[in-house]
Amino acid sequence: MYEVQDRSSQQTGDYFEAKAGEKWWDACAASGGKSLLLMQTYPGVNLLVSDVRSSILRNLDERFEKAAIKDYRRKIIDLTKDPSIILGNDTFDGIILDAPCSGSGTWGRTPEMMQQFSEGKLRYFVDLQRRILQNVIRHLKVNKPLIYITCSVYGAENEEQVAFAEKLGLRLERATLLKGYENRADTMFVARLIKNPL
């Protein structure tokens, strides 16, 4: 059995660089695509998945069951609020933040979404991403990576958010816009950011 994944989504896995025994958190896991990629590539990782929607985590559970992934934790967390209420002092060797975004990188296959989008919606996603970034960073260990991902083409959701993360104490190791339109795939942005010592 195979799980078919968009080419650009697969390429984000090149940024994980996890190690067996490390604790990783897929903070906006949704139905678990990035987590499946992480666990397939680094099966020894100790994984926590979270999302604000319990229904989407049920989809993740089903996908993980089909993939025979049993050793993981899951929590319902609203990342617009302080996750320490649920996570306590838990810290991680890596965090995947596939952030909620405009989805503009997928408009090649859903062009009707362009008509429903506005500058106000873009500002909403930019503010949401910043709140989430601020809240997850406190649970990242020093000198460890946060993998920031969007399916957006907008600099406000991508490069400008990297600049914002740098003000929060992260340093950019590398980033790229995965031009999916060149490969009949979604366009995505991925950045590997490392937490600086205090």
Side-chain angles (χ1 to χ4, degrees):
M1 298 207 11
Y2 296 90
E3 182 81 28
V4 177
Q5 191 172 47
D6 179 85
R7 178 187 171 100
S8 297
S9 289
Q10 291 176 40
Q11 289 178 288
T12 64
D14 295 340
Y15 283 67
F16 296 167
E17 300 177 26
K19 295 181 179 68
E22 287 187 336
K23 287 173 57 179
W24 276 66
W25 176 23
D26 188 351
C28 296
S31 59
K34 302 304 182 300
S35 287
L36 284 169
L37 184 59
L38 176 70
M39 296 302 282
Q40 177 188 14
T41 313
Y42 307 100
V45 164
N46 178 348
L47 178 65
L48 168 67
V49 296
S50 70
D51 202 278
V52 71
R53 303 158 293 178
S54 59
S55 59
I56 201 95
L57 286 175
R58 284 195 291 276
N59 292 343
L60 179 148
D61 289 335
E62 290 173 12
R63 292 176 80 188
F64 273 33
E65 186 176 352
K66 287 178 185 175
I69 297 170
K70 297 175 183 165
D71 190 19
Y72 67 100
R73 296 182 298 147
R74 73 191 278 287
K75 293 185 182 292
I76 298 166
I77 303 176
D78 179 356
L79 292 174
T80 64
K81 299 174 180 149
D82 181 2
S84 302
I85 297 164
I86 294 168
L87 296 177
N89 295 321
D90 212 356
T91 55
F92 298 88
D93 298 294
I95 297 175
I96 299 170
L97 179 55
D98 192 353
C101 71
S102 63
S104 53
T106 70
W107 289 349
R109 59 183 165 86
T110 57
E112 67 279 4
M113 297 303 290
M114 283 188 283
Q115 292 180 325
Q116 301 171 20
F117 201 69
S118 67
E119 189 176 335
K121 285 184 182 177
L122 179 60
R123 282 195 304 271
Y124 164 80
F125 283 115
V126 168
D127 291 343
L128 177 62
Q129 291 154 4
R130 290 185 176 191
R131 284 201 312 272
I132 292 172
L133 272 166
Q134 288 173 309
N135 285 328
V136 301
I137 286 170
R138 66 186 74 179
H139 292 280
L140 181 63
K141 293 178 184 176
V142 170
N143 294 322
K144 296 297 183 177
L146 179 135
I147 314 303
Y148 177 77
I149 303 167
T150 72
C151 52
S152 173
V153 298
Y154 290 122
E157 296 184 279
N158 298 334
E159 292 86 357
E160 290 178 30
Q161 298 298 44
V162 167
F164 177 76
E166 289 177 320
K167 291 176 185 171
L168 298 175
L170 300 183
R171 69 180 182 275
L172 177 63
E173 188 174 273
R174 59 191 171 112
T176 192
L177 184 69
L178 302 167
K179 298 175 183 174
Y181 52 83
E182 295 176 349
N183 298 293
R184 303 174 94 187
D186 291 342
T187 293
M188 301 184 77
F189 178 81
V190 57
R192 182 178 168 92
L193 296 141
I194 309 299
K195 188 172 185 178
N196 290 322
L198 295 174

